[in-house]
Amino acid sequence: MPRKIKLEEPFDLQKTLECGQTFFWHRDGEKYYTIRNGGLLKVWQEDDKLFYENYGNRIDPAEVLRIGDPLEEICEEISKDNFVSQAIQENRGLRIINDEFFHCLISFITSAQMQIPRIKEIQDQLAERHGKNLELEGEIYHQFPEPQRLSKVPLEELKDLGLGYRADYVKRTSEMVAENEIRTENIKKMKYEEAKQELMKLQGVGDKVADCVLLFSLDFLQAFPIDTWMWKVIQEKYPELNGRNYDETSEKMRDYFGRYAGYAHEYLFHYGRTCMDFE
DNA sequence: CGGCAGGGAGGCC
DNA sequence: GGCCTCCCTGCC
């Protein structure tokens, strides 16, 4: 029997899951599902009602989908100018979600110079080959591999999956996480700058990937990742905030938008990709 | 088909 | 620190 959550604030499930910032949700008709920590979560939306089914270990949809984030208040706070206000209006209900840390990390390491469909495909392949099998409702689902297991996959196999030069990063980062050089519970307690430095110790994690992982899996809502799309948006719409390098620009964006700068990023990113005509 | 795509590392200065 | 080149692969 599906359970129901009455949505008190704007929420657009499709936009949120298909915005291109999360790589382990699957679509099945009107429903979306994900697998983590020994559980399967299915969700679907009808107007202001969110339905869900949970099999295996419990996954809290409110936590995963950040339904508790006070979106009205957040949007009000980040509406610093007409452009971002427009982006918010066009994408009402778009939210940031809370991905599982290790999977999020590996996805964004994989994402360097890659298209979204291929990133998803590689994640799925890794899960199929090396993830735990979950048999639920008569179907087999594959969980994303544990760090320990992923660190043991031969380099050649990773390369053959299409990871190319990123295969090294995936393997070494998996080793580092498996050896507990990174503990998410510790990172969550750190200040933003410190947490970012901690993540950047990992192989294949630079400024952009670190900001993505902080924002999409570690609750740092002030993180403002800058990819090539965002550089274009900044150059065109926020030239006065364009600094000399990544660090400086990203800091200016955080100062400008405030503690929920990550949400501003989400709206600008989506708006830039779908509505802006560069050149 | 050549060039390029939703970055990062490593070398050089 | 800033700048440059290379990295693999699929796709247009």
Side-chain angles (χ1 to χ4, degrees), chain A residues 76-100:
Chain A
E76 203 169 308
E77 224 176 290
I78 60 175
S79 290
K80 303 285 186 185
D81 56 76
N82 288 338
F83 181 66
V84 73
S85 301
Q86 177 77 16
I88 292 168
Q89 271 179 34
E90 297 281 338
N91 294 291
R92 189 176 160 78
L94 174 63
R95 283 177 183 256
I96 284 170
I97 59 153
N98 191 1
D99 268 327
E100 190 272 315

Side-chain angles (χ1 to χ4, degrees), chain A residues 121-136:
Chain A
E121 200 182 305
I122 291 172
Q123 306 308 305
D124 287 346
Q125 277 288 313
L126 289 173
E128 210 169 293
R129 296 184 186 203
H130 300 289
K132 277 185 195 151
N133 286 346
L134 294 179
E135 191 173 349
L136 300 166

